[in-house]
Each structure stands twice: as C-alpha cells, then as structure tokens.
Amino acid sequence: MMLDFSVKMKTESISLFYDKTEALKKISLAIPAHQITAIIGPSGCGKSSFLRLFNRMNDLIWKARVTGQVYLDAVPLYDPKIDVVELRKRVGMVFQKPNPFPMSIFENIAFGPRVHGCHDKAKLDEIVERCCLRAALWDEVKDKLRDSAFALSGGQQQRLCIARVLAVDPEVILLDEPCSALDPASTMRIEELMQQLKSQYTIIIVTHNMQQAGRASDYTAFMLMGDLIEFSSTKEVFTSPKDKRTEDYITGRWG
C-alpha cells in the first residue's frame, strides 16, 4: 500500500531464527507514528516474537538470531553500537500478564526514573502523579501510593504497568496481548487509555481478539506462519482484505 502516514519505526527484511528454526521470514513493515497498529494472527504465527524485535527483547532468548534491520526513526536498532538500555527507555513494553514489582505503587512507577538517575523527591512525586493520570489510575490510587502494588486488581495492575512504562518518557509503547487476562470492563479501560495515549506515543499491540483489533487500532498487520500476509488500515483489512487467508482468519473460518 502507499504510505499516507509518518513512519516512526520500520523493519526491513527482518528474519528471526531460534537456533535453526526460522520463526520470522524477511518481514518489511512500516509503523505509523502516533497511531495504534494491531498485529493479529493465529497462535504460534510469530506475533509476539515480531513485537519483541522493536526493543530487542529477543536478545534475551538463547540461540535467537536476527538478520535484516529495524529502525526507530532513522536509527538502525541492530547496530552493535546501540545502547540497548537506552533503546528500551525509548521503546517500552507491557506484557500479557500484569507484572508489578514487589514494592509499593509509588516505587513501581518511580523505579525507572531512579534507574535513569532521578532521585529528587519532588520530581519523583510529579512523575508518579503525571503517569498515574495518563494511565487513568490516579483517582483510584492517590490515597494508597505506599500500599503494595499486589493489592490492586488485575486491570489496575495492568494500568500500573503502563504508568511504569510512561515514567521513563518513551516514544513507542509495545503491548503484548495486554487484555488477555482481564475482564471486559478492564479491557475497555485499557482500550480507552490507548486512544488517549496515541496523540503522544506510537502504539503497537499484539492481540488475539479480532473485535479488539477492529475497535482499538488504526492499522492492522496480519501474520501467518512467520510471514506478513497483509497490512493496511484496519477498516480496509476488516472490510475488504486483499488476501483470502486474511479474510478466512478474520471471519473465523480458521485460526
């Protein structure tokens, strides 16, 4: 498709191998800035592996190997000179299962800024309040910031994890099936939050939920067996897919 958007990240012929197994096959994809891009496809198609390429989380997997390139703006992320810690500050990630740290709500959010050198209490107070507000969590936690994060509900914990990512001022937020363990009401809160955040951040979400992809995203990429099959605006993918495999998947004929 012709690109009618500003590109924030892109992959060029990116392949991922686990030992000798090719999990992703020469995928080239441009990610629009300040939009929500959904990655869909059946279980085991490579969605999460693809998402982890954008902040080099696959580096942590034994015998994982990448060929091709990923760019953040014009910066090649697989250049040996890249500071991976700094990269993960710019490209934050929220995982499928809420994973708050075993500490207070306040300390969860302040953790990242402390790691990056911020120790001023007034500044940390401001960061925690700002990020809780952005994550639509402040009214629920403002009087219990010193309580354990584990006291929060599952949906609140996931919004806390989003606030924790926001605290280091990322440019891109990666969401790996962030609602799969949540109830419908919490899922709706996360989707509403994504819409509020996209004006400030570029968002990429992996989801197995077709209704969520249709509701929440601006663009959709369909993957199958490690290949990128189709990418377009979400409306186009869901109403007039170009590939029969895409149509079969989104209409529930298989997958």
Side-chain angles (χ1 to χ4, degrees):
M1 62 175 288
M2 293 294 293
L3 300 183
D4 58 354
F5 52 75
S6 174
V7 175
K8 181 61 180 176
M9 302 193 77
K10 66 179 179 178
T11 66
E12 287 187 352
S13 297
I14 198 81
S15 295
L16 173 67
F17 298 84
Y18 295 125
D19 200 1
K20 296 179 181 179
T21 301
E22 189 175 19
L24 298 172
K25 304 170 185 176
K26 294 185 179 179
I27 295 177
S28 296
L29 176 65
I31 300 295
H34 298 291
Q35 300 288 310
I36 300 170
T37 299
I39 303 171
I40 64 172
S43 296
C45 73
K47 302 186 298 294
S48 292
S49 293
F50 183 65
L51 188 73
R52 290 194 296 264
L53 289 171
F54 289 103
N55 69 345
R56 292 187 49 171
M57 288 294 288
N58 291 312
D59 290 11
L60 304 174
I61 299 174
W62 187 60
K63 288 194 174 182
R65 178 171 58 88
V66 170
T67 62
Q69 191 56 266
V70 180
Y71 294 90
L72 173 57
D73 297 324
V75 178
L77 301 187
Y78 285 82
D79 186 307
K81 298 176 184 176
I82 285 291
D83 182 338
V84 178
V85 173
E86 181 63 22
L87 167 63
R88 292 177 186 150
K89 179 176 181 287
R90 295 179 67 189
V91 184
M93 189 162 192
V94 177
F95 296 91
Q96 181 174 353
K97 183 179 179 182
N99 62 338
F101 299 150
M103 53 184 67
S104 71
I105 295 166
F106 182 96
E107 291 300 333
N108 262 269
I109 300 170
F111 183 87
R114 288 191 200 278
V115 167
H116 290 282
C118 178
H119 300 287
D120 180 81
K121 184 181 183 303
K123 180 63 174 174
L124 290 171
D125 287 344
E126 185 273 326
I127 290 171
V128 169
E129 179 174 352
R130 170 167 47 86
C131 294
C132 282
L133 284 166
R134 285 184 180 174
L137 191 62
W138 179 247
D139 288 343
E140 297 161 62
V141 303
K142 62 184 178 182
D143 296 322
K144 46 187 177 183
L145 291 173
R146 301 300 172 181
D147 291 358
S148 169
F150 295 137
L152 299 174
S153 69
Q156 289 173 325
Q157 287 185 17
Q158 196 64 301
R159 281 182 282 138
L160 174 66
C161 292
I162 293 172
R164 191 173 67 198
V165 166
L166 298 180
V168 294
D169 292 324
E171 299 165 42
V172 180
I173 302 173
L174 310 177
L175 301 166
D176 191 0
E177 297 195 22
C179 303
S180 63
L182 304 183
D183 60 77
S186 296
T187 295
M188 191 59 66
R189 294 291 299 275
I190 297 292
E191 291 179 9
E192 290 171 352
L193 176 58
M194 288 164 55
Q195 295 300 324
Q196 295 165 17
L197 292 175
K198 74 177 184 180
S199 64
Q200 297 170 283
Y201 309 94
T202 297
I203 298 175
I204 312 173
I205 178 171
V206 163
T207 180
H208 66 280
N209 185 319
M210 293 303 93
Q211 290 78 22
Q212 180 173 69
R215 285 192 306 263
S217 68
D218 302 293
Y219 291 85
T220 295
F222 171 58
M223 293 182 62
L224 182 63
M225 297 179 65
D227 283 314
L228 175 64
I229 304 302
E230 187 162 346
F231 173 72
S232 190
S233 70
T234 296
K235 180 179 180 180
E236 186 169 340
V237 168
F238 277 80
T239 60
S240 53
K242 299 291 188 293
D243 192 293
K244 188 176 187 303
R245 292 168 293 179
T246 310
E247 181 180 2
D248 287 347
Y249 181 70
I250 65 177
T251 56
R253 293 194 183 107
W254 59 269

